[in-house]
Structure formats: structure tokens, C-alpha cells
């Protein structure tokens, strides 16, 4: 069984609004659903295809994917295209990057699907959502940045801002089954 963060980014909206909810949720045993397992398969395929698109070597996960179908193949191809279109020449592109944001939320960490650091000083977090039931937004002027993506961005800043001269932060939701490809950008100071 994987040990999960006490403050998982995926439920950041809840624990930011109600701090005690994190402790209560930690008492509930992890349970997986068919939808979660399907999403895990899709993420594995996306990671593989993105590594291959960058010239990397990775084992093909397809023989072990329970939910693999043509829709998953197509969605993962679209994801790779989206990532590569958002990675200017000279960018550093990282997949499935562990991001520790515990400097902002004790014990907080998560895994960013894609982290891009561009030579122009932009940090870009791209989150792949395979679900088709609930549309997810990267952020808006009324509510600001998506809390899950804010956690990932803070973790990436903690890890990479001393190495790269980051000035702006972009976060994207890529949810192909609902035709969502949305980006929200803020300054590093605002984040």
C-alpha cells in the first residue's frame, strides 16, 4: 500500500477551507474505484508516451493496462501533443515529478504529472485528468488558481527556483474526454 500525503493536493480545496478535514480523512482507509484504476492506467500510458516523445527509454506499460482502449490511446496522444506545444525549445520537461510543498503545508507533497521549466522564466505545471464526470478548471479571476495545482507549483518552486530563474507560473488542466485544455498564469510572487 502506498503512503499518501497527509495533505494530498487532490483534496487541497477541502483542507484549505476546513483544516481538521485532513486529519479526519487520514483515518479513512484508502479505497480504489474502477474510475481511479482507469485513471492510473491512463497516467501510466501518458508518462510512457511523453518520455518516448522526448527521446527517453521506458518500458511500454500497455501489456499491463487493464483499461487500455482506443480512447485511452487517443487521449494520451493528445496529452503528449499538448505538453510538447507548451514546452518552448530549451525547456526542461519532467514527468511524474514528486513535489514537496511542506514548507507551506506541513507534510504536504504530491506528484506532478508534468513540470516544465522554460528558458523564459516560466514554470508550467500540467495536470492530466482522464475523468469525464466532473470538469476541472485550472483557475479563474474570481476564485484564483486551482488549489491542487497551486500545491504542485509551490513544490516545484521549492525544488527548482534556486536552479532556474522563475518569474511566472502557469498551471494547466488537460481533460481530453471533456475537451478541456485550460491554462491559468500568475506571477511567482502572487502564488
Amino acid at each position: 500500500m502506498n503512503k499518501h500525503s497527509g495533505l494530498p493536493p487532490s483534496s487541497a480545496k477541502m483542507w484549505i477551507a476546513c483544516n481538521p478535514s485532513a486529519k479526519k480523512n487520514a483515518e479513512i482507509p484508502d479505497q480504489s474505484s474502477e474510475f481511479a484504476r482507469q485513471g492510473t492506467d491512463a497516467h501510466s500510458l501518458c508518462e510512457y508516451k511523453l518520455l518516448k516523445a522526448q527521446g527517453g527509454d521506458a518500458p511500454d506499460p500497455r501489456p499491463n493496462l487493464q483499461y487500455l482502449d482506443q480512447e485511452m490511446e487517443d487521449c494520451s496522444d493528445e496529452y503528449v501533443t499538448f505538453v510538447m506545444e507548451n514546452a518552448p525549445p530549451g525547456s526542461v520537461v519532467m514527468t511524474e515529478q514528486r513535489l514537496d510543498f511542506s514548507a507551506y503545508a506541513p507534510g504536504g507533497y504530491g506528484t506532478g504529472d508534468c513540470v516544465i521549466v522554460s528558458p523564459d522564466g516560466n514554470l508550467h505545471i500540467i495536470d492530466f485528468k482522464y475523468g469525464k464526470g466532473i470538469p476541472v478548471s485550472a483557475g479563474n479571476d474570481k476564485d484564483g488558481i486551482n488549489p491542487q495545482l497551486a500545491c504542485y507549483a509551490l513544490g516545484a518552486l521549492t525544488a527548482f527556483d534556486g536552479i532556474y530563474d522563475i518569474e511566472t507560473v502557469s498551471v494547466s488542466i488537460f481533460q481530453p474526454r471533456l475537451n478541456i485544455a485550460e491554462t491559468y498564469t500568475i506571477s511567482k510572487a502572487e502564488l
Side-chain angles (χ1 to χ4, degrees), residues 119-184:
D120 64 359
N122 187 55
L123 168 68
H124 196 157
I125 307 295
I126 300 176
D127 194 43
F128 176 79
K129 301 288 188 194
Y130 194 61
K132 60 182 178 179
I134 300 172
V136 180
S137 174
N140 59 55
D141 291 335
K142 178 181 166 265
D143 299 320
I145 190 171
N146 173 306
Q148 177 182 7
L149 300 182
C151 290
Y152 292 151
L154 288 169
L157 277 176
T158 300
F160 305 116
D161 195 29
I163 301 168
Y164 304 100
D165 190 19
I166 297 169
E167 294 299 323
T168 59
V169 177
S170 297
V171 295
S172 294
I173 291 291
F174 187 77
Q175 194 171 10
R177 296 167 87 194
L178 291 179
N179 296 313
I180 296 172
E182 181 181 293
T183 301
Y184 184 79

Side-chain angles (χ1 to χ4, degrees), residues 46-56 76-95 114-116 118 124 126 174:
C46 286
E47 178 185 16
Y48 165 73
K49 287 184 176 182
L50 186 54
L51 289 171
K52 294 297 278 187
Q54 297 179 82
S76 58
D77 288 342
E78 292 171 26
Y79 169 74
V80 171
T81 298
F82 182 79
V83 169
M84 300 310 283
E85 287 173 348
N86 281 281
S91 295
V92 176
V93 180
M94 297 162 267
T95 61
C114 182
V115 177
I116 302 169
S118 304
H124 196 157
I126 300 176
F174 187 77

